[in-house]
Amino acid sequence: MEKKKDIVLSGIRPTGFAHLGNYFGAIRNWVRMQDEFDCYYFVADWHSLTTHPDTKELKQSVVRLVAELIGSGLDPEKCVLYIQSDVPEIAELYLLLNTLSYTGELEKTVTFKDKVRQNPNNVNAGLLTYPVLQAADILVHRAVKVPVGKDQEQHIEMTRNFAERFNYRYGNVFPVPYGFNYGGDLTKIMSLDGSGKMSKSENHMNTLYLADDDEMIRKKIMKAKTDSGPTEPNSAKPVYIEGLFTLMTIVSAPDTTKKFETDFNNCMIRYGDMKKQLAEDMVKFITPIREKISELQHDEKYMKNVMQEGATKARTSAKATLQLVRDAMGLKYY
Ligand code: ATP
Ligand code: MG
């Protein structure tokens, strides 16, 4: 008998254009996992409402993100790709899990405290219960492997707690999930000025988007922060220089990166040349992805079909779980 594959779940918020950080920090692993596991990937529109309440551009962002995910290599034939709000069972599970989570533990969450600091005028209850919704996202498919970045580890830990509490109180329904990646650290892609990470919502001129055209890619890279170069051989690299080397390692030929490494270590590096080379290699890397995304976006029929089929498959899985949940809790009266 064929062994059942582990279930994988991960999501991304439709808060803006997908960028290299999303690609190398998340999507690339998702693509790899779809060949090995039973994967569920979703566009987290409910999650985005906690920090982006304006919905004028939501439709555009959601559909574009679906196209960006497929353009980056997700195959809707190999994985279940869906939109969170198409699966109301997630909201039902979220409500039930809310009764198993304590306000004290939610208030202590690092990401909650960060968001309160960033948005002091919109500390909505959705922000507080974000980890509960995330737990519902995961548990609704009884997923075990959750590929996420370091910033999400605390949320996974909370999901584990909620699952264990549920199982203890009502009977064994949920496997206890864990954060998963393919060993080694996940690549964090720094913004081109080295001030933080590339991001959908912030720092647009220092983030490389999959939608950037060739001229924009060149412009951003040529403007990336550098300095007059090291004065001591084999110096440590400042964050913004390290970031350029990381990008080069990812998109350029190994020999090219090695040449500039050697130049750096010998205090002979010419950042102008390095950036020119990086810009050309980056254009070669992004262009086919951007073109694929654009092609998909123009195929409305295909996009609609993908979203509908994803919703149906995700709901089938979610409904089965909710049936187990209701049975376990005794929410059945006739
Ligand atoms: P926002 O600015 O709206 O929070 P974001 O760019 O941080 O958007 P998320 O939707 O929060 O993107 O995250 C989606 C996935 O991309 C997560 O797994 C996250 O860890 C990863 N990710 C986001 N930015 C980077 C980055 N610069 N480098 C590596 N991984 C990243
Ligand atoms: Mg983020």
mmCIF file of all heavy atoms in Angstrom, residues 10-27 30 44 48 51-52 65 115 118 130 147-152 186-191 196-202 207 209, ligand 1:
data_model
loop_
_atom_site.group_PDB
_atom_site.id
_atom_site.type_symbol
_atom_site.label_atom_id
_atom_site.label_comp_id
_atom_site.label_asym_id
_atom_site.label_seq_id
_atom_site.Cartn_x
_atom_site.Cartn_y
_atom_site.Cartn_z
ATOM 1 N N SER A 10 1.129 26.223 3.834
ATOM 2 C CA SER A 10 1.757 27.534 4.001
ATOM 3 C C SER A 10 0.950 28.592 3.260
ATOM 4 O O SER A 10 0.167 28.265 2.366
ATOM 5 C CB SER A 10 3.202 27.512 3.502
ATOM 6 O OG SER A 10 3.940 28.543 4.131
ATOM 7 N N GLY A 11 1.130 29.826 3.661
ATOM 8 C CA GLY A 11 0.355 30.896 3.036
ATOM 9 C C GLY A 11 1.148 32.182 2.879
ATOM 10 O O GLY A 11 2.246 32.320 3.417
ATOM 11 N N ILE A 12 0.586 33.079 2.097
ATOM 12 C CA ILE A 12 1.233 34.374 1.875
ATOM 13 C C ILE A 12 0.142 35.442 1.780
ATOM 14 O O ILE A 12 -0.919 35.197 1.208
ATOM 15 C CB ILE A 12 2.120 34.320 0.596
ATOM 16 C CG1 ILE A 12 2.826 35.640 0.344
ATOM 17 C CG2 ILE A 12 1.322 33.882 -0.633
ATOM 18 C CD1 ILE A 12 3.961 35.545 -0.660
ATOM 19 N N ARG A 13 0.421 36.597 2.372
ATOM 20 C CA ARG A 13 -0.616 37.644 2.408
ATOM 21 C C ARG A 13 -0.615 38.467 1.117
ATOM 22 O O ARG A 13 0.452 38.795 0.586
ATOM 23 C CB ARG A 13 -0.355 38.588 3.591
ATOM 24 C CG ARG A 13 -0.323 37.864 4.928
ATOM 25 C CD ARG A 13 -0.465 38.807 6.088
ATOM 26 N NE ARG A 13 0.445 39.950 6.032
ATOM 27 C CZ ARG A 13 0.218 41.111 6.649
ATOM 28 N NH1 ARG A 13 -0.909 41.279 7.344
ATOM 29 N NH2 ARG A 13 1.088 42.086 6.594
ATOM 30 N N PRO A 14 -1.812 38.826 0.633
ATOM 31 C CA PRO A 14 -1.892 39.653 -0.584
ATOM 32 C C PRO A 14 -1.720 41.132 -0.243
ATOM 33 O O PRO A 14 -2.610 41.944 -0.472
ATOM 34 C CB PRO A 14 -3.303 39.356 -1.102
ATOM 35 C CG PRO A 14 -4.102 39.066 0.134
ATOM 36 C CD PRO A 14 -3.146 38.423 1.118
ATOM 37 N N THR A 15 -0.560 41.477 0.310
ATOM 38 C CA THR A 15 -0.347 42.858 0.753
ATOM 39 C C THR A 15 0.466 43.669 -0.242
ATOM 40 O O THR A 15 0.825 44.812 0.053
ATOM 41 C CB THR A 15 0.382 42.866 2.118
ATOM 42 O OG1 THR A 15 1.458 41.919 2.047
ATOM 43 C CG2 THR A 15 -0.557 42.480 3.232
ATOM 44 N N GLY A 16 0.780 43.102 -1.402
ATOM 45 C CA GLY A 16 1.556 43.872 -2.372
ATOM 46 C C GLY A 16 2.170 42.933 -3.386
ATOM 47 O O GLY A 16 1.780 41.764 -3.479
ATOM 48 N N PHE A 17 3.125 43.439 -4.122
ATOM 49 C CA PHE A 17 3.781 42.642 -5.163
ATOM 50 C C PHE A 17 4.746 41.631 -4.540
ATOM 51 O O PHE A 17 5.471 41.967 -3.602
ATOM 52 C CB PHE A 17 4.563 43.560 -6.108
ATOM 53 C CG PHE A 17 3.687 44.372 -7.024
ATOM 54 C CD1 PHE A 17 3.088 45.542 -6.589
ATOM 55 C CD2 PHE A 17 3.463 43.957 -8.331
ATOM 56 C CE1 PHE A 17 2.276 46.289 -7.431
ATOM 57 C CE2 PHE A 17 2.657 44.695 -9.181
ATOM 58 C CZ PHE A 17 2.061 45.862 -8.730
ATOM 59 N N ALA A 18 4.772 40.414 -5.082
ATOM 60 C CA ALA A 18 5.726 39.408 -4.604
ATOM 61 C C ALA A 18 7.140 39.823 -4.992
ATOM 62 O O ALA A 18 7.365 40.416 -6.043
ATOM 63 C CB ALA A 18 5.398 38.043 -5.203
ATOM 64 N N HIS A 19 8.089 39.530 -4.112
ATOM 65 C CA HIS A 19 9.469 39.990 -4.337
ATOM 66 C C HIS A 19 10.457 38.837 -4.165
ATOM 67 O O HIS A 19 10.070 37.706 -3.842
ATOM 68 C CB HIS A 19 9.795 41.138 -3.382
ATOM 69 C CG HIS A 19 9.510 40.808 -1.935
ATOM 70 N ND1 HIS A 19 10.360 40.083 -1.158
ATOM 71 C CD2 HIS A 19 8.437 41.085 -1.158
ATOM 72 C CE1 HIS A 19 9.854 39.943 0.046
ATOM 73 N NE2 HIS A 19 8.682 40.530 0.084
ATOM 74 N N LEU A 20 11.727 39.162 -4.367
ATOM 75 C CA LEU A 20 12.761 38.120 -4.300
ATOM 76 C C LEU A 20 12.825 37.431 -2.944
ATOM 77 O O LEU A 20 13.150 36.252 -2.864
ATOM 78 C CB LEU A 20 14.138 38.739 -4.583
ATOM 79 C CG LEU A 20 14.533 39.027 -6.013
ATOM 80 C CD1 LEU A 20 16.022 39.349 -6.052
ATOM 81 C CD2 LEU A 20 14.239 37.854 -6.944
ATOM 82 N N GLY A 21 12.511 38.178 -1.887
ATOM 83 C CA GLY A 21 12.503 37.579 -0.545
ATOM 84 C C GLY A 21 11.436 36.507 -0.440
ATOM 85 O O GLY A 21 11.686 35.412 0.071
ATOM 86 N N ASN A 22 10.251 36.801 -0.945
ATOM 87 C CA ASN A 22 9.180 35.794 -0.947
ATOM 88 C C ASN A 22 9.615 34.588 -1.774
ATOM 89 O O ASN A 22 9.391 33.444 -1.391
ATOM 90 C CB ASN A 22 7.876 36.351 -1.555
ATOM 91 C CG ASN A 22 7.329 37.562 -0.832
ATOM 92 O OD1 ASN A 22 6.918 38.527 -1.461
ATOM 93 N ND2 ASN A 22 7.331 37.532 0.482
ATOM 94 N N TYR A 23 10.227 34.886 -2.906
ATOM 95 C CA TYR A 23 10.633 33.814 -3.818
ATOM 96 C C TYR A 23 11.677 32.899 -3.173
ATOM 97 O O TYR A 23 11.488 31.689 -3.087
ATOM 98 C CB TYR A 23 11.171 34.399 -5.137
ATOM 99 C CG TYR A 23 11.495 33.337 -6.161
ATOM 100 C CD1 TYR A 23 10.534 32.920 -7.071
ATOM 101 C CD2 TYR A 23 12.748 32.740 -6.201
ATOM 102 C CE1 TYR A 23 10.816 31.915 -7.995
ATOM 103 C CE2 TYR A 23 13.042 31.742 -7.110
ATOM 104 C CZ TYR A 23 12.074 31.340 -8.014
ATOM 105 O OH TYR A 23 12.357 30.350 -8.906
ATOM 106 N N PHE A 24 12.783 33.487 -2.702
ATOM 107 C CA PHE A 24 13.865 32.654 -2.175
ATOM 108 C C PHE A 24 13.652 32.231 -0.728
ATOM 109 O O PHE A 24 14.206 31.231 -0.286
ATOM 110 C CB PHE A 24 15.212 33.363 -2.332
ATOM 111 C CG PHE A 24 15.647 33.413 -3.765
ATOM 112 C CD1 PHE A 24 15.605 34.602 -4.478
ATOM 113 C CD2 PHE A 24 16.051 32.252 -4.409
ATOM 114 C CE1 PHE A 24 15.983 34.640 -5.808
ATOM 115 C CE2 PHE A 24 16.428 32.283 -5.740
ATOM 116 C CZ PHE A 24 16.392 33.476 -6.437
ATOM 117 N N GLY A 25 12.850 33.004 0.015
ATOM 118 C CA GLY A 25 12.610 32.646 1.416
ATOM 119 C C GLY A 25 11.447 31.685 1.582
ATOM 120 O O GLY A 25 11.312 31.045 2.618
ATOM 121 N N ALA A 26 10.562 31.607 0.592
ATOM 122 C CA ALA A 26 9.370 30.784 0.776
ATOM 123 C C ALA A 26 8.994 29.996 -0.475
ATOM 124 O O ALA A 26 9.062 28.767 -0.496
ATOM 125 C CB ALA A 26 8.202 31.676 1.215
ATOM 126 N N ILE A 27 8.617 30.707 -1.531
ATOM 127 C CA ILE A 27 7.979 30.051 -2.684
ATOM 128 C C ILE A 27 8.855 28.941 -3.283
ATOM 129 O O ILE A 27 8.379 27.882 -3.653
ATOM 130 C CB ILE A 27 7.600 31.085 -3.768
ATOM 131 C CG1 ILE A 27 6.727 32.199 -3.156
ATOM 132 C CG2 ILE A 27 6.853 30.421 -4.918
ATOM 133 C CD1 ILE A 27 6.519 33.406 -4.052
ATOM 134 N N TRP A 30 8.314 25.903 -1.475
ATOM 135 C CA TRP A 30 6.967 25.363 -1.735
ATOM 136 C C TRP A 30 6.981 24.560 -3.035
ATOM 137 O O TRP A 30 6.384 23.506 -3.125
ATOM 138 C CB TRP A 30 5.951 26.488 -1.882
ATOM 139 C CG TRP A 30 5.740 27.349 -0.675
ATOM 140 C CD1 TRP A 30 6.421 27.317 0.506
ATOM 141 C CD2 TRP A 30 4.757 28.383 -0.550
ATOM 142 N NE1 TRP A 30 5.929 28.266 1.348
ATOM 143 C CE2 TRP A 30 4.912 28.940 0.727
ATOM 144 C CE3 TRP A 30 3.779 28.890 -1.393
ATOM 145 C CZ2 TRP A 30 4.104 29.986 1.181
ATOM 146 C CZ3 TRP A 30 2.983 29.925 -0.945
ATOM 147 C CH2 TRP A 30 3.147 30.463 0.341
ATOM 148 N N ALA A 44 -3.587 34.548 1.815
ATOM 149 C CA ALA A 44 -4.187 34.830 3.121
ATOM 150 C C ALA A 44 -4.886 36.188 3.139
ATOM 151 O O ALA A 44 -4.421 37.136 3.770
ATOM 152 C CB ALA A 44 -3.101 34.744 4.194
ATOM 153 N N SER A 48 -4.585 39.601 5.777
ATOM 154 C CA SER A 48 -4.122 40.927 5.361
ATOM 155 C C SER A 48 -5.040 42.024 5.899
ATOM 156 O O SER A 48 -4.608 43.152 6.109
ATOM 157 C CB SER A 48 -3.977 41.006 3.839
ATOM 158 O OG SER A 48 -5.234 40.994 3.223
ATOM 159 N N THR A 51 -4.005 44.254 8.981
ATOM 160 C CA THR A 51 -3.096 45.407 8.861
ATOM 161 C C THR A 51 -3.386 46.259 7.622
ATOM 162 O O THR A 51 -2.908 47.381 7.526
ATOM 163 C CB THR A 51 -1.621 44.945 8.759
ATOM 164 O OG1 THR A 51 -1.524 43.962 7.711
ATOM 165 C CG2 THR A 51 -1.148 44.344 10.060
ATOM 166 N N HIS A 52 -4.134 45.710 6.668
ATOM 167 C CA HIS A 52 -4.448 46.442 5.431
ATOM 168 C C HIS A 52 -5.958 46.462 5.223
ATOM 169 O O HIS A 52 -6.484 45.732 4.369
ATOM 170 C CB HIS A 52 -3.766 45.775 4.232
ATOM 171 C CG HIS A 52 -2.262 45.853 4.253
ATOM 172 N ND1 HIS A 52 -1.494 45.279 5.240
ATOM 173 C CD2 HIS A 52 -1.393 46.439 3.397
ATOM 174 C CE1 HIS A 52 -0.215 45.507 4.996
ATOM 175 N NE2 HIS A 52 -0.126 46.208 3.881
ATOM 176 N N LEU A 65 -1.307 37.758 -7.022
ATOM 177 C CA LEU A 65 -0.482 36.865 -6.214
ATOM 178 C C LEU A 65 -0.649 35.406 -6.652
ATOM 179 O O LEU A 65 0.330 34.654 -6.698
ATOM 180 C CB LEU A 65 -0.823 37.038 -4.730
ATOM 181 C CG LEU A 65 0.106 36.377 -3.711
ATOM 182 C CD1 LEU A 65 1.570 36.690 -3.970
ATOM 183 C CD2 LEU A 65 -0.273 36.814 -2.295
ATOM 184 N N LYS A 115 3.318 44.626 15.957
ATOM 185 C CA LYS A 115 2.271 45.271 15.171
ATOM 186 C C LYS A 115 1.580 46.374 15.947
ATOM 187 O O LYS A 115 1.168 47.379 15.373
ATOM 188 C CB LYS A 115 1.283 44.225 14.651
ATOM 189 C CG LYS A 115 1.915 43.459 13.495
ATOM 190 C CD LYS A 115 0.998 42.493 12.812
ATOM 191 C CE LYS A 115 1.703 41.940 11.558
ATOM 192 N NZ LYS A 115 1.204 40.623 11.184
ATOM 193 N N GLN A 118 3.763 49.260 15.509
ATOM 194 C CA GLN A 118 3.703 49.840 14.155
ATOM 195 C C GLN A 118 2.376 50.533 13.863
ATOM 196 O O GLN A 118 2.332 51.508 13.130
ATOM 197 C CB GLN A 118 3.920 48.740 13.104
ATOM 198 C CG GLN A 118 5.346 48.233 13.029
ATOM 199 C CD GLN A 118 5.414 46.836 12.402
ATOM 200 O OE1 GLN A 118 4.424 46.320 11.903
ATOM 201 N NE2 GLN A 118 6.585 46.213 12.439
ATOM 202 N N TYR A 130 -4.520 36.742 15.570
ATOM 203 C CA TYR A 130 -3.827 36.309 14.342
ATOM 204 C C TYR A 130 -3.271 34.875 14.477
ATOM 205 O O TYR A 130 -3.492 34.034 13.592
ATOM 206 C CB TYR A 130 -2.701 37.307 14.060
ATOM 207 C CG TYR A 130 -2.134 37.322 12.661
ATOM 208 C CD1 TYR A 130 -2.416 38.384 11.804
ATOM 209 C CD2 TYR A 130 -1.280 36.323 12.203
ATOM 210 C CE1 TYR A 130 -1.873 38.430 10.519
ATOM 211 C CE2 TYR A 130 -0.739 36.366 10.935
ATOM 212 C CZ TYR A 130 -1.033 37.417 10.099
ATOM 213 O OH TYR A 130 -0.500 37.455 8.838
ATOM 214 N N PRO A 147 6.159 25.018 6.266
ATOM 215 C CA PRO A 147 7.381 25.735 5.895
ATOM 216 C C PRO A 147 7.214 27.238 6.113
ATOM 217 O O PRO A 147 6.473 27.886 5.395
ATOM 218 C CB PRO A 147 7.542 25.417 4.397
ATOM 219 C CG PRO A 147 6.171 25.050 3.917
ATOM 220 C CD PRO A 147 5.386 24.579 5.098
ATOM 221 N N VAL A 148 7.864 27.748 7.143
ATOM 222 C CA VAL A 148 7.774 29.196 7.437
ATOM 223 C C VAL A 148 9.130 29.724 7.860
ATOM 224 O O VAL A 148 10.030 28.966 8.217
ATOM 225 C CB VAL A 148 6.786 29.502 8.588
ATOM 226 C CG1 VAL A 148 5.359 29.346 8.126
ATOM 227 C CG2 VAL A 148 7.086 28.663 9.805
ATOM 228 N N GLY A 149 9.240 31.024 7.846
ATOM 229 C CA GLY A 149 10.476 31.683 8.254
ATOM 230 C C GLY A 149 10.596 31.750 9.780
ATOM 231 O O GLY A 149 9.669 31.425 10.519
ATOM 232 N N LYS A 150 11.782 32.163 10.226
ATOM 233 C CA LYS A 150 12.091 32.257 11.651
ATOM 234 C C LYS A 150 11.072 33.087 12.422
ATOM 235 O O LYS A 150 10.719 32.773 13.559
ATOM 236 C CB LYS A 150 13.470 32.906 11.829
ATOM 237 C CG LYS A 150 14.646 31.968 11.748
ATOM 238 C CD LYS A 150 15.450 32.058 13.055
ATOM 239 C CE LYS A 150 16.519 30.982 13.162
ATOM 240 N NZ LYS A 150 16.021 29.622 13.018
ATOM 241 N N ASP A 151 10.602 34.173 11.780
ATOM 242 C CA ASP A 151 9.677 35.083 12.471
ATOM 243 C C ASP A 151 8.368 34.388 12.851
ATOM 244 O O ASP A 151 7.602 34.902 13.643
ATOM 245 C CB ASP A 151 9.389 36.319 11.598
ATOM 246 C CG ASP A 151 8.854 35.934 10.212
ATOM 247 O OD1 ASP A 151 9.249 34.877 9.680
ATOM 248 O OD2 ASP A 151 8.040 36.706 9.677
ATOM 249 N N GLN A 152 8.126 33.223 12.282
ATOM 250 C CA GLN A 152 6.848 32.554 12.510
ATOM 251 C C GLN A 152 6.946 31.401 13.514
ATOM 252 O O GLN A 152 5.946 30.751 13.816
ATOM 253 C CB GLN A 152 6.300 32.010 11.178
ATOM 254 C CG GLN A 152 5.966 33.086 10.176
ATOM 255 C CD GLN A 152 4.800 33.941 10.626
ATOM 256 O OE1 GLN A 152 3.843 33.462 11.207
ATOM 257 N NE2 GLN A 152 4.891 35.242 10.391
ATOM 258 N N LEU A 186 17.048 29.367 6.256
ATOM 259 C CA LEU A 186 16.307 29.909 5.123
ATOM 260 C C LEU A 186 17.019 31.182 4.677
ATOM 261 O O LEU A 186 17.570 31.917 5.487
ATOM 262 C CB LEU A 186 14.885 30.251 5.559
ATOM 263 C CG LEU A 186 13.978 29.052 5.820
ATOM 264 C CD1 LEU A 186 12.689 29.504 6.450
ATOM 265 C CD2 LEU A 186 13.694 28.338 4.507
ATOM 266 N N THR A 187 17.013 31.389 3.368
ATOM 267 C CA THR A 187 17.666 32.586 2.850
ATOM 268 C C THR A 187 16.839 33.804 3.193
ATOM 269 O O THR A 187 15.661 33.874 2.857
ATOM 270 C CB THR A 187 17.761 32.500 1.308
ATOM 271 O OG1 THR A 187 18.106 31.171 0.962
ATOM 272 C CG2 THR A 187 18.760 33.474 0.766
ATOM 273 N N LYS A 188 17.469 34.757 3.872
ATOM 274 C CA LYS A 188 16.776 36.022 4.117
ATOM 275 C C LYS A 188 17.324 37.033 3.126
ATOM 276 O O LYS A 188 18.541 37.210 3.025
ATOM 277 C CB LYS A 188 17.028 36.477 5.552
ATOM 278 C CG LYS A 188 16.304 37.754 5.903
ATOM 279 C CD LYS A 188 16.439 38.053 7.380
ATOM 280 C CE LYS A 188 15.828 39.396 7.708
ATOM 281 N NZ LYS A 188 16.126 39.804 9.081
ATOM 282 N N ILE A 189 16.451 37.653 2.371
ATOM 283 C CA ILE A 189 16.915 38.600 1.361
ATOM 284 C C ILE A 189 16.785 40.017 1.916
ATOM 285 O O ILE A 189 15.689 40.500 2.182
ATOM 286 C CB ILE A 189 16.098 38.464 0.059
ATOM 287 C CG1 ILE A 189 16.095 37.006 -0.436
ATOM 288 C CG2 ILE A 189 16.646 39.400 -1.015
ATOM 289 C CD1 ILE A 189 17.415 36.480 -0.941
ATOM 290 N N MET A 190 17.947 40.652 2.078
ATOM 291 C CA MET A 190 17.967 42.002 2.641
ATOM 292 C C MET A 190 17.539 43.030 1.600
ATOM 293 O O MET A 190 17.723 42.830 0.394
ATOM 294 C CB MET A 190 19.391 42.341 3.118
ATOM 295 C CG MET A 190 19.893 41.434 4.222
ATOM 296 S SD MET A 190 18.813 41.431 5.665
ATOM 297 C CE MET A 190 19.143 43.082 6.316
ATOM 298 N N SER A 191 16.994 44.152 2.067
ATOM 299 C CA SER A 191 16.672 45.239 1.159
ATOM 300 C C SER A 191 17.974 45.816 0.599
ATOM 301 O O SER A 191 19.034 45.658 1.193
ATOM 302 C CB SER A 191 15.870 46.319 1.882
ATOM 303 O OG SER A 191 16.620 46.825 2.957
ATOM 304 N N GLY A 196 16.857 46.614 6.157
ATOM 305 C CA GLY A 196 15.908 45.613 6.665
ATOM 306 C C GLY A 196 15.775 44.529 5.620
ATOM 307 O O GLY A 196 16.682 44.341 4.819
ATOM 308 N N LYS A 197 14.645 43.838 5.626
ATOM 309 C CA LYS A 197 14.460 42.808 4.603
ATOM 310 C C LYS A 197 13.634 43.365 3.446
ATOM 311 O O LYS A 197 12.919 44.336 3.616
ATOM 312 C CB LYS A 197 13.793 41.581 5.201
ATOM 313 C CG LYS A 197 12.361 41.827 5.657
ATOM 314 C CD LYS A 197 11.694 40.528 6.033
ATOM 315 C CE LYS A 197 10.186 40.658 6.090
ATOM 316 N NZ LYS A 197 9.530 40.844 4.779
ATOM 317 N N MET A 198 13.734 42.736 2.287
ATOM 318 C CA MET A 198 12.831 43.107 1.202
ATOM 319 C C MET A 198 11.414 42.812 1.675
ATOM 320 O O MET A 198 11.189 41.848 2.406
ATOM 321 C CB MET A 198 13.140 42.322 -0.064
ATOM 322 C CG MET A 198 14.418 42.767 -0.737
ATOM 323 S SD MET A 198 14.553 42.112 -2.414
ATOM 324 C CE MET A 198 16.192 42.704 -2.848
ATOM 325 N N SER A 199 10.462 43.653 1.256
ATOM 326 C CA SER A 199 9.114 43.518 1.800
ATOM 327 C C SER A 199 8.054 43.945 0.800
ATOM 328 O O SER A 199 8.299 44.783 -0.063
ATOM 329 C CB SER A 199 9.034 44.369 3.071
ATOM 330 O OG SER A 199 7.738 44.838 3.280
ATOM 331 N N LYS A 200 6.877 43.333 0.935
ATOM 332 C CA LYS A 200 5.767 43.712 0.061
ATOM 333 C C LYS A 200 5.230 45.078 0.428
ATOM 334 O O LYS A 200 4.800 45.830 -0.423
ATOM 335 C CB LYS A 200 4.632 42.693 0.208
ATOM 336 C CG LYS A 200 4.892 41.393 -0.514
ATOM 337 C CD LYS A 200 3.598 40.630 -0.703
ATOM 338 C CE LYS A 200 3.573 39.367 0.156
ATOM 339 N NZ LYS A 200 2.990 39.542 1.477
ATOM 340 N N SER A 201 5.185 45.355 1.729
ATOM 341 C CA SER A 201 4.492 46.568 2.182
ATOM 342 C C SER A 201 5.396 47.786 2.334
ATOM 343 O O SER A 201 4.910 48.900 2.393
ATOM 344 C CB SER A 201 3.813 46.333 3.528
ATOM 345 O OG SER A 201 3.257 45.071 3.622
ATOM 346 N N GLU A 202 6.704 47.573 2.465
ATOM 347 C CA GLU A 202 7.566 48.726 2.760
ATOM 348 C C GLU A 202 8.757 48.794 1.812
ATOM 349 O O GLU A 202 9.076 47.834 1.128
ATOM 350 C CB GLU A 202 8.136 48.593 4.192
ATOM 351 C CG GLU A 202 7.095 48.588 5.270
ATOM 352 C CD GLU A 202 7.576 47.806 6.489
ATOM 353 O OE1 GLU A 202 8.800 47.768 6.744
ATOM 354 O OE2 GLU A 202 6.720 47.215 7.162
ATOM 355 N N THR A 207 13.460 47.058 -2.836
ATOM 356 C CA THR A 207 12.988 45.681 -2.948
ATOM 357 C C THR A 207 12.879 45.333 -4.428
ATOM 358 O O THR A 207 12.399 46.154 -5.212
ATOM 359 C CB THR A 207 11.598 45.556 -2.276
ATOM 360 O OG1 THR A 207 11.734 45.789 -0.875
ATOM 361 C CG2 THR A 207 10.993 44.175 -2.482
ATOM 362 N N TYR A 209 11.007 43.340 -7.140
ATOM 363 C CA TYR A 209 9.754 42.617 -7.325
ATOM 364 C C TYR A 209 9.820 41.739 -8.562
ATOM 365 O O TYR A 209 10.501 42.083 -9.542
ATOM 366 C CB TYR A 209 8.592 43.612 -7.453
ATOM 367 C CG TYR A 209 8.407 44.426 -6.206
ATOM 368 C CD1 TYR A 209 8.937 45.715 -6.099
ATOM 369 C CD2 TYR A 209 7.754 43.891 -5.102
ATOM 370 C CE1 TYR A 209 8.809 46.447 -4.931
ATOM 371 C CE2 TYR A 209 7.620 44.613 -3.928
ATOM 372 C CZ TYR A 209 8.154 45.887 -3.849
ATOM 373 O OH TYR A 209 8.038 46.592 -2.695
HETATM 374 P P1 ATP B 1 4.543 42.230 4.358
HETATM 375 O O1 ATP B 1 5.563 43.329 4.188
HETATM 376 O O2 ATP B 1 3.169 42.636 3.950
HETATM 377 O O3 ATP B 1 4.571 41.566 5.717
HETATM 378 P P2 ATP B 1 6.259 40.221 3.315
HETATM 379 O O4 ATP B 1 7.076 40.599 2.141
HETATM 380 O O5 ATP B 1 6.932 40.230 4.653
HETATM 381 O O6 ATP B 1 4.961 41.122 3.300
HETATM 382 P P3 ATP B 1 4.755 37.854 3.946
HETATM 383 O O7 ATP B 1 3.464 37.609 3.241
HETATM 384 O O8 ATP B 1 4.736 38.395 5.345
HETATM 385 O O9 ATP B 1 5.665 38.788 3.010
HETATM 386 O O10 ATP B 1 5.603 36.500 3.940
HETATM 387 C C1 ATP B 1 5.477 35.503 2.964
HETATM 388 C C2 ATP B 1 6.665 34.573 3.062
HETATM 389 O O11 ATP B 1 7.833 35.210 2.544
HETATM 390 C C3 ATP B 1 7.016 34.177 4.505
HETATM 391 O O12 ATP B 1 7.350 32.801 4.533
HETATM 392 C C4 ATP B 1 8.229 35.025 4.830
HETATM 393 O O13 ATP B 1 9.061 34.403 5.798
HETATM 394 C C5 ATP B 1 8.902 35.151 3.474
HETATM 395 N N1 ATP B 1 9.680 36.396 3.345
HETATM 396 C C6 ATP B 1 9.177 37.653 3.306
HETATM 397 N N2 ATP B 1 10.161 38.555 3.129
HETATM 398 C C7 ATP B 1 11.329 37.848 3.037
HETATM 399 C C8 ATP B 1 12.694 38.214 2.816
HETATM 400 N N3 ATP B 1 13.067 39.473 2.604
HETATM 401 N N4 ATP B 1 13.625 37.225 2.758
HETATM 402 C C9 ATP B 1 13.256 35.934 2.929
HETATM 403 N N5 ATP B 1 11.981 35.521 3.127
HETATM 404 C C10 ATP B 1 11.018 36.462 3.186
#
